[in-house]
Amino acid sequence: MTSKLYRDDAIVLRTHPLGEADRIITLLTRRHGKVRAVAKGVRRTGSRFGARLEPFSLVDVQLHAGRNLHTVTQVVTIEAFAVGITADYGRFTAASAMLETTDRLTDEMVDPSQRGFLMLVGALRAMGEGRIPPPLVLDSFLLRTLAVSGWAPELRVCATCGAEGPHHAFDIRAGGLVCTPCRRPGAIAVRQAAIEHMIFLLAGDWENVLSADETIHAEAGRLITDTMTWHLERSVRSLHYVER
């Protein structure tokens, strides 16, 4: 970085207190990956930008680069997704799971992905608008995030041998659907409708996504959550609170 002062669009992923008046803000930026920065004095009454640095906020932020932590010097709200998200428990828990998943998957200042950033912005906007049920927005986001990370589950052919489907068993360790000869202990029986539902979620085909019944939503949602948990090698705590 040629200058210590830089500016970027960012989503606030999480915050936690530092000392008596400051906060550490974890940001997913559009061009610089994940950044941790100190926002000085934001917990004091009358702070000029404390309210702008809350989770779910899309902001235009100016930062001063430091050795370990950066420092927030200016921030302007672009879009306050929290207004629509925090008004509803279902939206809040699903959106929190999106932020926590993103936080777990991204490394500070390493391989910034504008596609991942824009996917999160779009998912938070859809969550805040409330036209699509929160678990479906979450599931679509998780599947697309897996795809961007190189972990998209195989939903058309056998993940082990490549045999054409349809197949009726899902093996997370193998990477998706498996045929009968490749099926190992621990593979899960899955309905074709649930697989098709996941394909529609990945493609953003909301007409077909919304037409599926709730049992299909739930079956696909469990597979998606388990796949993400497997790749992260630990659970995403917020996912446990999502109302399905």
Side-chain angles (χ1 to χ4, degrees):
M1 196 175 297
T2 55
S3 172
K4 286 193 172 182
L5 202 63
Y6 68 101
R7 189 171 175 173
D8 207 343
D9 295 344
I11 289 284
V12 180
L13 297 180
R14 62 186 171 96
T15 72
H16 63 270
L18 178 68
E20 294 184 359
D22 305 339
R23 276 200 180 103
I24 294 178
I25 315 294
T26 302
L27 302 160
L28 180 69
T29 68
R30 183 168 186 160
R31 292 179 294 275
H32 298 86
K34 190 168 75 174
V35 173
R36 294 176 73 240
V38 176
K40 296 183 177 179
V42 294
R43 294 164 61 203
R44 292 195 184 104
T45 304
S47 166
R48 58 196 175 97
F49 51 63
R52 301 171 197 168
L53 289 171
E54 294 296 330
F56 313 117
S57 299
L58 174 62
V59 295
D60 174 356
V61 63
Q62 182 174 277
L63 298 156
H64 186 275
R67 182 173 295 178
N68 296 313
L69 288 173
H70 300 208
T71 302
V72 177
T73 58
Q74 289 182 1
V75 60
V76 176
T77 301
I78 298 174
E79 207 163 342
F81 299 125
V83 175
I85 288 171
T86 58
D88 178 84
Y89 180 77
R91 292 183 214 166
F92 174 76
T93 54
S96 295
M98 293 195 303
L99 295 192
E100 186 181 349
T101 300
T102 300
D103 192 18
R104 294 274 183 87
L105 280 172
T106 48
D107 294 321
E108 294 180 35
M109 305 299 288
V110 175
D111 191 25
S113 167
Q114 289 202 43
R115 184 181 173 193
F117 173 83
L118 294 173
M119 280 194 328
L120 180 58
V121 170
L124 289 173
R125 183 175 290 122
M127 196 72 77
E129 290 171 350
R131 290 197 291 265
I132 299 169
L136 298 181
V137 177
L138 171 63
D139 288 342
S140 179
F141 172 77
L142 293 178
L143 269 177
R144 293 179 185 192
T145 298
L146 286 165
V148 168
S149 302
W151 297 329
E154 181 54 68
L155 301 174
R156 299 184 187 277
V157 301
C158 175
T160 300
C161 72
E164 290 289 337
H167 304 300
H168 306 290
F170 193 92
D171 188 337
I172 294 169
R173 295 170 299 167
L177 289 176
V178 289
C179 63
T180 301
C182 293
R183 183 172 182 171
R184 301 180 296 177
I188 304 164
V190 59
R191 288 180 287 177
Q192 182 61 27
I195 295 302
E196 291 173 356
H197 181 67
M198 292 170 69
I199 292 170
F200 295 142
L201 283 168
L202 193 55
D205 183 346
W206 293 110
E207 182 178 352
N208 279 306
V209 166
L210 293 169
S211 67
D213 65 51
E214 291 187 2
T215 62
I216 296 300
H217 294 173
E219 183 177 347
R222 284 192 297 272
L223 290 175
I224 294 164
T225 297
D226 290 347
T227 301
M228 180 61 77
T229 300
W230 167 262
H231 286 293
L232 290 176
E233 298 182 349
R234 53 179 174 162
S235 65
V236 175
R237 184 175 58 181
S238 302
L239 286 171
H240 299 301
Y241 300 102
V242 174
E243 293 182 326
R244 292 191 177 276

